[in-house]
Structure formats: structure tokens, C-alpha cells
Coordinates of all heavy atoms in Angstrom, one line a residue:
M1 N -57.1 -39.2 -20.6 CA -57.0 -38.1 -19.5 C -56.3 -36.9 -20.3 O -56.6 -35.8 -19.9 CB -56.0 -38.6 -18.4 CG -55.9 -37.6 -17.2 SD -57.4 -37.6 -16.4 CE -57.0 -36.6 -14.9
D2 N -55.5 -37.2 -21.3 CA -54.9 -36.1 -22.0 C -55.9 -35.3 -22.7 O -55.8 -34.1 -22.8 CB -53.9 -36.7 -23.1 CG -52.6 -37.2 -22.4 OD1 -52.3 -36.8 -21.3 OD2 -52.0 -38.2 -23.0
I3 N -57.0 -35.9 -23.3 CA -58.0 -35.2 -24.0 C -58.9 -34.3 -23.0 O -59.2 -33.2 -23.4 CB -59.0 -36.1 -24.7 CG1 -59.9 -35.4 -25.7 CG2 -59.9 -36.9 -23.7 CD1 -59.2 -34.9 -26.9
L4 N -58.9 -34.6 -21.8 CA -59.6 -33.8 -20.8 C -58.8 -32.5 -20.7 O -59.4 -31.4 -20.6 CB -59.7 -34.5 -19.4 CG -60.5 -33.8 -18.3 CD1 -62.0 -33.5 -18.8 CD2 -60.5 -34.6 -17.1
Y5 N -57.4 -32.5 -20.6 CA -56.6 -31.3 -20.4 C -56.7 -30.5 -21.7 O -56.8 -29.2 -21.6 CB -55.2 -31.7 -20.2 CG -54.9 -32.5 -18.9 CD1 -54.1 -33.5 -18.8 CD2 -55.5 -31.9 -17.7 CE1 -53.9 -34.2 -17.5 CE2 -55.2 -32.5 -16.4 CZ -54.5 -33.7 -16.4 OH -54.3 -34.3 -15.2
L6 N -56.7 -31.2 -22.8 CA -56.9 -30.4 -24.1 C -58.3 -29.7 -24.1 O -58.4 -28.5 -24.5 CB -56.7 -31.3 -25.3 CG -56.9 -30.8 -26.6 CD1 -55.8 -29.7 -26.9 CD2 -57.0 -31.9 -27.7
M7 N -59.4 -30.3 -23.7 CA -60.7 -29.8 -23.7 C -60.8 -28.6 -22.8 O -61.3 -27.5 -23.0 CB -61.8 -30.8 -23.5 CG -61.8 -31.8 -24.5 SD -62.4 -31.2 -26.0 CE -64.1 -30.8 -25.6
I8 N -60.2 -28.7 -21.6 CA -60.2 -27.6 -20.6 C -59.4 -26.5 -21.2 O -59.9 -25.3 -21.1 CB -59.5 -28.1 -19.2 CG1 -60.5 -29.1 -18.6 CG2 -59.4 -26.9 -18.3 CD1 -60.1 -29.7 -17.4
L9 N -58.2 -26.6 -21.7 CA -57.4 -25.6 -22.4 C -58.2 -24.9 -23.5 O -58.2 -23.6 -23.6 CB -56.1 -26.2 -22.9 CG -55.2 -25.1 -23.5 CD1 -54.7 -24.1 -22.5 CD2 -54.1 -26.0 -24.2
C10 N -58.8 -25.6 -24.3 CA -59.6 -25.0 -25.5 C -60.8 -24.2 -24.9 O -61.1 -23.1 -25.4 CB -60.2 -26.1 -26.3 SG -58.8 -26.9 -27.4
S11 N -61.5 -24.6 -23.9 CA -62.7 -24.0 -23.4 C -62.3 -22.7 -22.7 O -63.0 -21.7 -22.8 CB -63.5 -24.9 -22.5 OG -62.8 -25.3 -21.3
V12 N -61.2 -22.8 -21.9 CA -60.8 -21.6 -21.2 C -60.3 -20.6 -22.3 O -60.5 -19.3 -22.1 CB -59.5 -21.9 -20.2 CG1 -58.9 -20.7 -19.7 CG2 -60.2 -22.8 -19.1
S13 N -59.6 -21.0 -23.3 CA -59.2 -20.0 -24.3 C -60.2 -19.4 -25.1 O -60.2 -18.3 -25.4 CB -58.2 -20.9 -25.4 OG -57.1 -21.4 -24.7
L14 N -61.2 -20.2 -25.4 CA -62.4 -19.6 -26.1 C -63.1 -18.7 -25.2 O -63.7 -17.6 -25.6 CB -63.3 -20.8 -26.5 CG -64.5 -20.5 -27.4 CD1 -64.0 -19.9 -28.8 CD2 -65.3 -21.6 -27.7
A15 N -63.3 -19.0 -24.0 CA -64.0 -18.1 -23.0 C -63.1 -16.7 -22.9 O -63.8 -15.7 -22.8 CB -64.1 -18.8 -21.7
A16 N -61.8 -16.8 -22.8 CA -61.0 -15.6 -22.7 C -61.2 -14.8 -24.0 O -61.2 -13.6 -23.9 CB -59.5 -16.0 -22.5
I17 N -61.2 -15.4 -25.1 CA -61.4 -14.7 -26.5 C -62.7 -14.0 -26.5 O -62.9 -12.8 -26.8 CB -61.3 -15.6 -27.7 CG1 -59.8 -16.1 -27.7 CG2 -61.8 -14.9 -28.9 CD1 -59.6 -17.2 -28.9
F18 N -63.8 -14.7 -26.1 CA -65.2 -14.0 -25.9 C -65.2 -12.9 -25.0 O -65.8 -11.8 -25.2 CB -66.2 -15.0 -25.6 CG -66.7 -15.9 -26.8 CD1 -66.6 -17.2 -26.6 CD2 -67.0 -15.3 -28.0 CE1 -67.0 -18.1 -27.8 CE2 -67.4 -16.1 -29.0 CZ -67.5 -17.5 -28.9
L19 N -64.5 -13.0 -23.9 CA -64.4 -11.9 -22.8 C -63.8 -10.8 -23.4 O -64.2 -9.6 -23.2 CB -63.7 -12.4 -21.6 CG -63.6 -11.4 -20.4 CD1 -65.0 -11.0 -19.9 CD2 -62.7 -12.0 -19.3
V20 N -62.7 -10.9 -24.1 CA -61.9 -9.8 -24.7 C -62.7 -9.1 -25.8 O -62.8 -7.8 -25.8 CB -60.5 -10.3 -25.3 CG1 -59.9 -9.1 -26.1 CG2 -59.6 -10.7 -24.2
V21 N -63.4 -9.9 -26.6 CA -64.3 -9.2 -27.7 C -65.4 -8.4 -27.0 O -65.7 -7.4 -27.4 CB -64.8 -10.3 -28.6 CG1 -65.8 -9.8 -29.5 CG2 -63.6 -11.0 -29.4
F22 N -66.0 -9.1 -25.9 CA -67.0 -8.3 -25.2 C -66.5 -7.0 -24.6 O -67.2 -6.0 -24.8 CB -67.7 -9.2 -24.1 CG -68.6 -8.6 -23.3 CD1 -69.9 -8.3 -23.7 CD2 -68.3 -8.0 -22.0 CE1 -70.9 -7.7 -23.0 CE2 -69.3 -7.4 -21.2 CZ -70.5 -7.2 -21.6
I23 N -65.4 -7.0 -23.9 CA -64.9 -5.8 -23.4 C -64.6 -4.7 -24.4 O -64.9 -3.5 -24.2 CB -63.7 -6.1 -22.5 CG1 -64.1 -7.0 -21.2 CG2 -62.9 -4.9 -22.1 CD1 -63.0 -7.5 -20.4
I24 N -64.1 -5.2 -25.5 CA -63.7 -4.2 -26.6 C -65.0 -3.5 -27.1 O -65.1 -2.3 -27.2 CB -62.9 -4.9 -27.8 CG1 -61.4 -5.3 -27.2 CG2 -62.9 -4.0 -29.0 CD1 -60.7 -6.1 -28.2
N25 N -66.0 -4.3 -27.3 CA -67.3 -3.8 -27.8 C -68.1 -3.0 -26.8 O -68.7 -2.1 -27.2 CB -68.1 -5.0 -28.4 CG -67.8 -5.5 -29.8 OD1 -67.1 -4.9 -30.5 ND2 -68.0 -6.9 -29.9
A26 N -67.9 -3.3 -25.6 CA -68.6 -2.6 -24.5 C -67.9 -1.2 -24.4 O -68.6 -0.2 -24.2 CB -68.5 -3.3 -23.1
R27 N -66.6 -1.1 -24.6 CA -66.0 0.2 -24.5 C -66.3 1.1 -25.7 O -66.3 2.3 -25.6 CB -64.5 0.0 -24.4 CG -64.0 -0.5 -23.0 CD -62.6 -0.5 -22.9 NE -62.3 -1.1 -21.6 CZ -61.0 -0.9 -21.0 NH1 -60.1 -0.4 -21.7 NH2 -60.9 -1.5 -19.8
K28 N -66.5 0.5 -26.8 CA -66.9 1.2 -28.0 C -68.3 1.7 -28.0 O -68.7 2.5 -28.8 CB -66.7 0.4 -29.3 CG -65.2 0.2 -29.7 CD -65.1 -0.6 -31.0 CE -63.6 -0.9 -31.3 NZ -63.6 -1.7 -32.5
G29 N -69.1 1.2 -27.0 CA -70.6 1.6 -27.0 C -71.5 0.8 -27.7 O -72.6 1.3 -28.0
Q30 N -71.2 -0.4 -28.0 CA -72.0 -1.3 -28.7 C -73.3 -1.6 -27.9 O -74.3 -1.8 -28.6 CB -71.3 -2.6 -29.1 CG -72.0 -3.6 -29.8 CD -72.2 -3.2 -31.2 OE1 -71.5 -2.5 -31.8 NE2 -73.3 -3.8 -31.9
F31 N -73.2 -1.6 -26.7 CA -74.4 -2.1 -25.8 C -75.1 -0.8 -25.1 O -75.6 -1.1 -24.1 CB -73.9 -3.2 -24.8 CG -73.2 -4.3 -25.5 CD1 -71.9 -4.4 -25.3 CD2 -73.8 -5.1 -26.3 CE1 -71.2 -5.4 -25.9 CE2 -73.2 -6.2 -27.0 CZ -71.8 -6.4 -26.7
E32 N -74.9 0.2 -25.5 CA -75.4 1.4 -24.8 C -76.9 1.5 -24.9 O -77.6 1.8 -23.9 CB -74.8 2.7 -25.4 CG -73.4 2.9 -25.1 CD -73.0 3.3 -23.7 OE1 -73.8 3.9 -23.0 OE2 -72.1 2.7 -23.2
D33 N -77.5 1.4 -26.1 CA -79.0 1.6 -26.3 C -79.6 0.2 -26.3 O -79.8 -0.5 -27.3 CB -79.3 2.4 -27.5 CG -80.7 2.8 -27.6 OD1 -81.4 2.7 -26.6 OD2 -81.1 3.2 -28.6
D34 N -80.0 -0.2 -25.2 CA -80.7 -1.6 -25.1 C -82.2 -1.5 -25.1 O -82.8 -2.6 -25.1 CB -80.1 -2.3 -23.9 CG -80.3 -1.7 -22.6 OD1 -80.7 -0.6 -22.5 OD2 -80.1 -2.4 -21.5
E35 N -82.8 -0.4 -24.9 CA -84.3 -0.3 -24.8 C -84.8 0.0 -26.1 O -85.9 -0.5 -26.4 CB -84.7 0.9 -23.8 CG -86.1 0.8 -23.5 CD -86.4 1.8 -22.4 OE1 -85.6 2.0 -21.5 OE2 -87.5 2.3 -22.5
S36 N -84.4 0.8 -26.9 CA -85.0 1.2 -28.2 C -85.3 0.1 -29.2 O -86.4 0.0 -29.7 CB -84.1 2.3 -29.0 OG -84.1 3.5 -28.2
P37 N -84.4 -0.8 -29.4 CA -84.8 -1.9 -30.4 C -85.9 -2.8 -29.9 O -86.7 -3.2 -30.7 CB -83.5 -2.7 -30.6 CG -82.4 -1.8 -30.2 CD -82.9 -0.9 -29.2
A38 N -86.0 -2.9 -28.6 CA -87.0 -3.8 -28.1 C -88.4 -3.1 -28.1 O -89.5 -3.7 -28.3 CB -86.7 -4.1 -26.6
V39 N -88.4 -1.8 -28.0 CA -89.6 -0.9 -28.0 C -90.0 -0.7 -29.4 O -91.3 -0.6 -29.7 CB -89.4 0.4 -27.1 CG1 -90.7 1.2 -27.3 CG2 -89.2 0.0 -25.8
R40 N -89.1 -0.4 -30.3 CA -89.4 -0.1 -31.7 C -90.3 -1.1 -32.4 O -91.2 -0.7 -33.2 CB -88.1 0.1 -32.4 CG -88.3 0.7 -33.8 CD -86.9 0.9 -34.4 NE -85.8 1.3 -33.6 CZ -84.6 0.8 -33.7 NH1 -84.3 -0.1 -34.6 NH2 -83.8 1.4 -32.9
I41 N -90.1 -2.3 -32.1 CA -91.0 -3.4 -32.8 C -92.5 -3.3 -32.3 O -93.2 -3.9 -33.1 CB -90.4 -4.8 -32.5 CG1 -90.9 -5.8 -33.4 CG2 -90.6 -5.2 -31.1 CD1 -90.1 -7.1 -33.5
L42 N -92.7 -2.8 -31.2 CA -94.1 -2.7 -30.7 C -94.9 -1.7 -31.5 O -96.1 -1.7 -31.4 CB -94.1 -2.3 -29.2 CG -93.4 -3.3 -28.3 CD1 -93.4 -2.9 -26.9 CD2 -94.0 -4.7 -28.4
F43 N -94.2 -0.7 -32.1 CA -95.0 0.4 -32.8 C -95.3 0.0 -34.3 O -94.2 -0.5 -35.0 CB -94.2 1.7 -32.7 CG -94.1 2.2 -31.3 CD1 -92.9 2.2 -30.6 CD2 -95.2 2.7 -30.6 CE1 -92.7 2.7 -29.4 CE2 -95.1 3.2 -29.3 CZ -93.9 3.2 -28.7
D44 N -96.4 0.3 -34.6 CA -96.8 0.1 -36.1 C -96.3 1.3 -36.9 O -96.4 2.4 -36.4 CB -98.3 -0.1 -36.2 CG -98.7 -0.5 -37.6 OD1 -97.8 -1.1 -38.4 OD2 -99.8 -0.5 -37.9
S45 N -95.9 1.1 -38.1 CA -95.3 2.2 -38.9 C -96.5 3.3 -39.1 O -96.2 4.4 -39.2 CB -94.8 1.8 -40.1 OG -95.9 1.1 -40.9
G46 N -97.7 2.8 -39.2 CA -98.8 3.8 -39.3 C -99.0 4.7 -38.1 O -99.3 5.9 -38.4
E47 N -98.8 4.2 -36.9 CA -98.9 5.0 -35.7 C -97.8 6.1 -35.8 O -98.1 7.2 -35.4 CB -98.9 4.1 -34.5 CG -100.0 3.2 -34.3 CD -99.8 2.2 -33.1 OE1 -98.9 2.4 -32.3 OE2 -100.7 1.5 -32.9
I48 N -96.6 5.7 -36.2 CA -95.6 6.6 -36.2 C -95.9 7.8 -37.2 O -95.6 9.0 -37.0 CB -94.2 6.0 -36.6 CG1 -93.9 5.0 -35.4 CG2 -93.2 7.0 -36.8 CD1 -92.8 4.2 -35.7
K49 N -96.5 7.4 -38.3 CA -96.8 8.4 -39.4 C -97.9 9.4 -38.9 O -97.8 10.6 -39.0 CB -97.3 7.9 -40.7 CG -96.1 7.0 -41.4 CD -96.6 6.5 -42.7 CE -95.4 5.7 -43.3 NZ -95.9 4.9 -44.5
E50 N -98.8 8.8 -38.2 CA -99.9 9.6 -37.6 C -99.4 10.6 -36.5 O -99.8 11.7 -36.5 CB -101.0 8.7 -37.0 CG -101.8 7.9 -37.9 CD -102.8 7.0 -37.3 OE1 -102.8 7.1 -36.0 OE2 -103.5 6.3 -38.0
K51 N -98.5 10.1 -35.8 CA -97.8 11.0 -34.7 C -97.1 12.2 -35.3 O -97.2 13.3 -35.0 CB -96.9 10.1 -33.9 CG -96.4 11.0 -32.7 CD -95.5 10.1 -31.8 CE -94.9 10.9 -30.7 NZ -93.9 10.2 -29.9
E52 N -96.4 11.9 -36.5 CA -95.6 12.9 -37.2 C -96.6 13.9 -37.8 O -96.3 15.1 -37.7 CB -94.7 12.2 -38.2 CG -93.6 11.5 -37.7 CD -92.7 10.8 -38.8 OE1 -93.2 10.8 -39.9 OE2 -91.7 10.1 -38.4
E53 N -97.7 13.4 -38.3 CA -98.6 14.4 -38.9 C -99.3 15.3 -37.8 O -99.5 16.4 -38.0 CB -99.7 13.6 -39.6 CG -99.3 12.9 -41.0 CD -100.3 12.1 -41.5 OE1 -101.5 12.0 -41.0 OE2 -100.0 11.4 -42.5
T54 N -99.6 14.7 -36.7 CA -100.1 15.6 -35.6 C -99.1 16.5 -35.0 O -99.5 17.7 -34.7 CB -100.7 14.7 -34.4 OG1 -99.7 13.8 -33.9 CG2 -101.9 13.9 -34.9
D55 N -97.9 16.1 -35.0 CA -96.9 17.0 -34.6 C -96.7 18.2 -35.5 O -96.5 19.4 -35.2 CB -95.5 16.3 -34.5 CG -95.5 15.4 -33.3 OD1 -96.4 15.6 -32.3 OD2 -94.6 14.5 -33.1
N56 N -96.8 17.9 -36.9 CA -96.7 19.0 -37.9 C -97.9 19.9 -37.8 O -97.7 21.2 -37.9 CB -96.6 18.3 -39.3 CG -95.3 17.6 -39.5 OD1 -94.4 17.9 -38.9 ND2 -95.4 16.7 -40.5
N57 N -99.1 19.4 -37.5 CA -100.3 20.2 -37.3 C -100.1 21.2 -36.2 O -100.5 22.3 -36.1 CB -101.5 19.4 -37.2 CG -101.9 18.6 -38.5 OD1 -101.5 19.1 -39.5 ND2 -102.7 17.6 -38.5
K58 N -99.5 20.6 -35.1 CA -99.3 21.5 -33.9 C -98.3 22.6 -34.2 O -98.6 23.7 -33.8 CB -98.8 20.6 -32.8 CG -99.8 19.8 -32.2 CD -99.2 18.9 -31.0 CE -100.2 17.9 -30.4 NZ -99.6 17.0 -29.4
N59 N -97.3 22.3 -34.9 CA -96.3 23.4 -35.2 C -97.0 24.4 -36.1 O -96.7 25.6 -36.0 CB -95.1 22.7 -36.0 CG -94.3 21.8 -35.1 OD1 -94.3 22.0 -33.9 ND2 -93.5 20.9 -35.6
E60 N -97.8 24.0 -37.0 CA -98.5 25.0 -37.9 C -99.4 25.8 -37.1 O -99.5 27.1 -37.2 CB -99.3 24.3 -39.0 CG -98.4 23.6 -40.0 CD -99.2 22.8 -41.0 OE1 -100.4 22.8 -41.0 OE2 -98.5 22.3 -41.9
D61 N -100.1 25.3 -36.2 CA -101.1 26.0 -35.2 C -100.2 27.0 -34.5 O -100.6 28.2 -34.2 CB -101.9 25.1 -34.3 CG -102.9 24.3 -35.0 OD1 -103.2 24.6 -36.2 OD2 -103.3 23.3 -34.5
E62 N -99.1 26.5 -33.9 CA -98.2 27.5 -33.1 C -97.7 28.7 -34.0 O -97.6 29.8 -33.5 CB -97.1 26.8 -32.4 CG -97.5 25.8 -31.4 CD -96.3 24.9 -30.9 OE1 -95.2 25.1 -31.3 OE2 -96.5 24.0 -30.1
K63 N -97.3 28.4 -35.2 CA -96.9 29.5 -36.1 C -98.0 30.5 -36.3 O -97.8 31.6 -36.3 CB -96.5 28.8 -37.4 CG -95.2 28.1 -37.3 CD -94.8 27.6 -38.7 CE -93.5 26.7 -38.5 NZ -93.2 26.1 -39.9
E64 N -99.2 29.9 -36.6 CA -100.4 30.9 -36.8 C -100.6 31.8 -35.5 O -100.9 32.9 -35.6 CB -101.8 30.1 -37.1 CG -101.6 29.4 -38.5 CD -102.8 28.5 -38.7 OE1 -103.7 28.6 -37.9 OE2 -102.9 27.9 -39.8
K65 N -100.7 31.2 -34.3 CA -100.9 31.9 -33.1 C -99.8 33.0 -33.0 O -100.0 34.1 -32.7 CB -100.9 31.0 -32.0 CG -102.1 30.1 -31.8 CD -102.0 29.1 -30.6 CE -103.2 28.2 -30.6 NZ -103.0 27.2 -29.5
G66 N -98.5 32.6 -33.3 CA -97.4 33.5 -33.2 C -97.6 34.7 -34.2 O -97.3 35.8 -33.9
E67 N -98.0 34.4 -35.4 CA -98.3 35.5 -36.4 C -99.4 36.4 -35.9 O -99.4 37.5 -36.1 CB -98.6 34.8 -37.8 CG -97.4 34.2 -38.4 CD -97.7 33.5 -39.6 OE1 -98.9 33.5 -40.1 OE2 -96.8 32.8 -40.2
N68 N -100.5 35.8 -35.3 CA -101.6 36.6 -34.8 C -101.1 37.6 -33.7 O -101.5 38.7 -33.7 CB -102.7 35.7 -34.4 CG -103.4 35.0 -35.5 OD1 -103.3 35.4 -36.7 ND2 -104.1 34.0 -35.2
N69 N -100.3 37.1 -32.9 CA -99.8 37.9 -31.8 C -99.0 39.0 -32.3 O -99.0 40.1 -31.8 CB -99.0 37.0 -30.7 CG -99.9 36.1 -30.0 OD1 -100.9 36.3 -29.9 ND2 -99.3 35.0 -29.5
K70 N -98.2 38.8 -33.4 CA -97.4 39.9 -33.9 C -98.3 40.9 -34.5 O -98.1 42.2 -34.4 CB -96.4 39.3 -34.9 CG -95.3 38.5 -34.5 CD -94.4 37.9 -35.6 CE -93.4 36.9 -35.1 NZ -92.6 36.3 -36.2
I71 N -99.3 40.6 -35.2 CA -100.3 41.5 -35.8 C -100.9 42.3 -34.7 O -101.0 43.5 -34.8 CB -101.3 40.9 -36.6 CG1 -100.7 40.2 -37.8 CG2 -102.4 41.8 -37.0 CD1 -101.5 39.3 -38.6
E72 N -101.4 41.7 -33.5 CA -102.0 42.4 -32.5 C -101.1 43.4 -31.8 O -101.4 44.5 -31.4 CB -102.5 41.5 -31.5 CG -103.7 40.7 -31.9 CD -104.2 39.6 -30.9 OE1 -103.6 39.6 -29.7 OE2 -105.0 38.8 -31.2
E73 N -99.7 43.0 -31.6 CA -98.7 43.8 -31.1 C -98.6 45.1 -31.9 O -98.3 46.3 -31.5 CB -97.4 43.1 -30.9 CG -97.5 42.1 -29.8 CD -96.2 41.3 -29.7 OE1 -95.3 41.5 -30.4 OE2 -96.1 40.4 -28.9
K74 N -98.5 44.9 -33.2 CA -98.3 46.0 -34.2 C -99.4 47.1 -34.2 O -99.3 48.3 -34.3 CB -98.0 45.6 -35.5 CG -96.7 44.9 -35.8 CD -96.6 44.4 -37.3 CE -95.2 43.6 -37.3 NZ -95.0 43.1 -38.8
S75 N -100.6 46.5 -34.1 CA -101.8 47.3 -34.0 C -102.0 48.2 -32.8 O -102.6 49.3 -32.8 CB -103.0 46.6 -34.2 OG -103.3 45.7 -33.1
E76 N -101.3 47.8 -31.7 CA -101.4 48.6 -30.5 C -100.5 49.7 -30.5 O -100.4 50.8 -30.7 CB -100.9 47.7 -29.3 CG -101.9 46.7 -29.0 CD -101.5 45.8 -27.8 OE1 -100.5 46.0 -27.2 OE2 -102.2 44.9 -27.4

């Protein structure tokens, strides 16, 4: 019967320690971003590179359009 009391004391103590550690880490923001790691694994690195390249091309196109508009404004 004494071992039962000892086991209950140990399990309650261990549960309290885990609860304290969880609360400390939750306050520090350890568990804030729970969606990104799960979604990140779904994307292939090639797809990410292609997306970055298309974004760069769009930015270059916008710059060209902006430069053309400046030239047209000056000519008027």
C-alpha cells in the first residue's frame, strides 16, 4: 500500500512539473505559429523557387511600366 502512495506522489509531481514547463513556454510564445511547419512540408523547394522567379518578373514588369509612364508624362 505504501508503494501506491509513492507512485501517486511521483505522478502528481511529474504532472505539475510538465504543467509549469508548458505554461512558461506558452507565455514565451513557443506555440504561437502552429500552422506554418505543417504546411511548409507540403511545398516542394522547386515550387518555391518558381514562385520567387515569377514574383521577380512581375516586379521588373512593374518597373518598366512605371518608367514608361514617366517618359510619357515628361513628353506632355
Side-chain angles (χ1 to χ4, degrees):
M1 190 68 170
D2 291 334
I3 191 71
L4 187 61
Y5 294 134
L6 180 64
M7 293 297 289
I8 290 172
L9 180 65
C10 289
S11 64
V12 169
S13 300
L14 188 63
I17 291 170
F18 280 127
L19 180 64
V20 169
V21 170
F22 175 76
I23 290 172
I24 290 171
N25 286 328
R27 288 189 181 191
K28 287 183 180 180
Q30 179 74 27
F31 307 111
E32 290 293 322
D33 189 16
D34 57 349
E35 187 173 329
S36 294
V39 173
R40 191 179 319 141
I41 197 168
L42 298 175
F43 295 111
D44 188 22
S45 61
E47 292 177 3
I48 294 172
K49 289 180 184 176
E50 289 175 5
K51 183 178 179 184
E52 290 174 356
E53 289 175 2
T54 57
D55 289 343
N56 290 337
N57 292 338
K58 288 179 184 177
N59 291 337
E60 291 174 2
D61 291 342
E62 290 174 2
K63 288 179 185 177
E64 290 176 4
K65 290 178 184 176
E67 291 173 0
N68 291 338
N69 289 338
K70 290 179 186 176
I71 294 170
E72 289 175 6
E73 289 174 4
K74 289 180 182 178
S75 65
E76 291 177 358

